[in-house]
């Protein structure tokens, strides 16, 4: 029988922080992870480019036998998901589904905040898309959302400098800029799948009443609920507890850096997209 793993996509390593939680909450499923490291970062690219790259990745997942693909990347979810769902999905077959990370997060993020002032830290692309502002307004119309782009954070993390002293300046600077928008912010969402690696630096810079929320567990819980509500899809996904990792760039780099994001050793395979 053909394997039908759940596809998990990111521009690079960040989606591994989501995959880690998926595997923890839904260990029985098979997963196929793809990092488009050769073309990362996505956060500074145009809508058209992110859409094109993400569509190529989704097509690749479907060719590998996946029926369900999770875009474990806020930038791809913000800039490509809706168009893929509305325009492209039909041509791949009635069963296929692509889910993102923004909606599941927006659905519950309001529950974390007492003041109703939510801070969002994300890539420039996610901030400009206004996706979080629009999505949270559906579920928590009384909440006020403040956004701050952190263009230096992904490069710092991707270059393995997230624990070093050089990161402090850029982390503090982005946090200051966010908090200067409202003194009532009591919840900060890390709306980029890379950012949980900076949590040890972020948390001590904040007053104790401000909580920081990462998305991994939220997205995993949402996927578990989705599979419960869609038993046919859950039945189609293969369940051998296997995980495969693919990257569009160097496998040795991916294995070395990816292990930091995933928290366990990784052995990846190289693939090409857009050919
Ligand atoms: N992991 C991506 C996200 O969640 C950001 C990385 C990138 O800019 O490619 O937005």
């Amino acid at each position: 029988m053909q394997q039908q793993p759940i596809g998990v996509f990111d521009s690079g390593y960040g989606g591994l922080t989501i995959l880690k939680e998926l595997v923890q909450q839904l260990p029985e499923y098979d997963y196929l992870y793809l990092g488009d490291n050769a073309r990362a970062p996505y956060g500074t690219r145009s809508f058209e480019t992110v859409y094109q790259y993400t569509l190529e990745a989704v097509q690749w997942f479907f060719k590998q036998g996946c029926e369900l693909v999770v875009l474990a990347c806020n930038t791809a979810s913000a800039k490509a998901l809706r168009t893929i769902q509305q325009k492209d999905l039909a041509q791949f077959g009635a069963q296929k589904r692509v889910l993102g990370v923004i909606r599941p997060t927006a659905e519950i993020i309001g529950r974390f905040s007492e003041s109703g002032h939510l801070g969002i830290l994300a890539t420039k692309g996610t901030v400009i898309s206004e996706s979080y502002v629009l999505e949270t307004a559906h579920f928590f119309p009384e909440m006020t959302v403040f956004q701050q782009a952190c263009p230096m954070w992904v490069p710092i993390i991707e270059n393995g400098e997230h624990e070093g002293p050089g990161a402090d300046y850029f982390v503090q600077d982005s946090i200051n800029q966010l908090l200067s928008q409202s003194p009532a912010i009591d919840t900060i969402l890390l709306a980029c799948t890379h950012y949980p690696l900076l949590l040890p630096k972020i948390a001590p810079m904040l007053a104790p009443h401000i909580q920081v929320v990462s998305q991994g567990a939220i997205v995993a819980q949402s996927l578990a609920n989705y599979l419960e509500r869609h038993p046919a899809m859950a039945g189609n996904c293969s369940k051998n507890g296997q995980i495969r990792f693919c990257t569009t760039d160097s496998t040795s780099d991916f294995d070395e850096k990816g292990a930091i994001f995933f928290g366990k050793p990784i052995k990846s395979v190289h693939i090409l997209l857009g050919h």
Side-chain angles (χ1 to χ4, degrees):
M1 213 187 114
Q2 202 194 359
Q3 293 286 302
Q4 297 196 337
I6 297 173
V8 181
F9 175 66
D10 183 49
S11 57
Y13 302 109
L16 291 166
T17 65
I18 303 281
L19 178 63
K20 189 173 155 185
E21 296 288 342
L22 297 182
V23 173
Q24 197 159 325
Q25 287 198 36
L26 297 162
E28 66 275 29
Y29 285 89
D30 295 334
Y31 297 93
L32 176 59
Y33 183 90
L34 173 61
D36 190 8
N37 299 78
R39 304 190 292 192
Y42 280 15
T44 45
R45 296 195 191 276
S46 69
F47 272 81
E48 292 70 24
T49 303
V50 173
Y51 163 65
Q52 191 53 44
Y53 287 179
T54 307
L55 181 59
E56 285 168 12
V58 165
Q59 282 169 320
W60 178 83
F61 278 111
F62 290 156
K63 274 198 202 137
Q64 309 309 305
C66 301
E67 293 219 338
L68 178 61
V69 177
V70 178
L71 302 184
C73 172
N74 286 274
T75 309
S77 299
K79 291 183 156 184
L81 178 62
R82 184 175 293 238
T83 315
I84 290 174
Q85 283 173 334
Q86 293 179 351
K87 185 170 147 264
D88 303 298
L89 209 49
Q91 64 178 291
F92 298 121
Q95 311 289 339
K96 311 286 190 199
R97 291 289 177 274
V98 183
L99 306 174
V101 290
I102 295 180
R103 195 181 177 99
T105 308
E107 271 173 13
I108 72 154
I109 193 65
R111 293 189 211 154
F112 290 86
S113 172
E114 276 179 23
S115 69
H117 282 216
L118 170 69
I120 304 259
L121 296 169
T123 65
K124 189 170 153 232
T126 300
V127 167
I128 289 173
S129 77
E130 298 257 301
S131 297
Y132 273 101
V133 178
L134 299 170
E135 290 278 355
T136 51
H138 279 305
F139 301 104
F140 303 98
E142 69 295 339
M143 203 162 64
T144 316
V145 178
F146 302 88
Q147 303 193 92
Q148 180 60 45
C150 313
M152 291 304 291
W153 288 20
V154 168
I156 286 170
I157 296 165
E158 293 256 326
N159 286 293
E161 290 296 328
H162 52 283
E163 287 175 347
D168 291 5
Y169 171 81
F170 292 104
V171 173
Q172 186 74 69
D173 186 50
S174 297
I175 286 174
N176 289 350
Q177 289 194 50
L178 176 68
L179 295 178
S180 72
Q181 297 180 50
S182 165
I185 291 172
D186 67 352
T187 304
I188 295 180
L189 172 66
L190 302 183
C192 170
T193 54
H194 279 66
Y195 294 176
L197 267 77
L198 284 171
L199 201 52
K201 285 223 185 278
I202 298 168
M205 292 179 183
L206 298 171
H209 73 283
I210 302 179
Q211 62 175 323
V212 185
V213 180
S214 302
Q215 295 175 292
I218 296 173
V219 173
Q221 186 57 54
S222 169
L223 184 66
N225 296 344
Y226 176 87
L227 291 167
E228 245 175 67
R229 282 184 282 112
H230 297 85
M233 176 61 86
N236 283 343
C237 296
S238 53
K239 299 176 194 70
N240 307 296
Q242 289 176 358
I243 313 171
R244 282 181 290 145
F245 299 92
C246 295
T247 175
T248 55
D249 207 349
S250 149
T251 52
S252 54
D253 279 359
F254 189 88
D255 297 353
E256 192 191 321
K257 286 189 192 163
I260 300 166
F261 288 75
F262 193 55
K264 276 186 196 166
I266 282 177
K267 191 99 197 74
S268 63
V269 168
H270 179 259
I271 66 111
L272 287 174
L273 282 182
H275 290 266

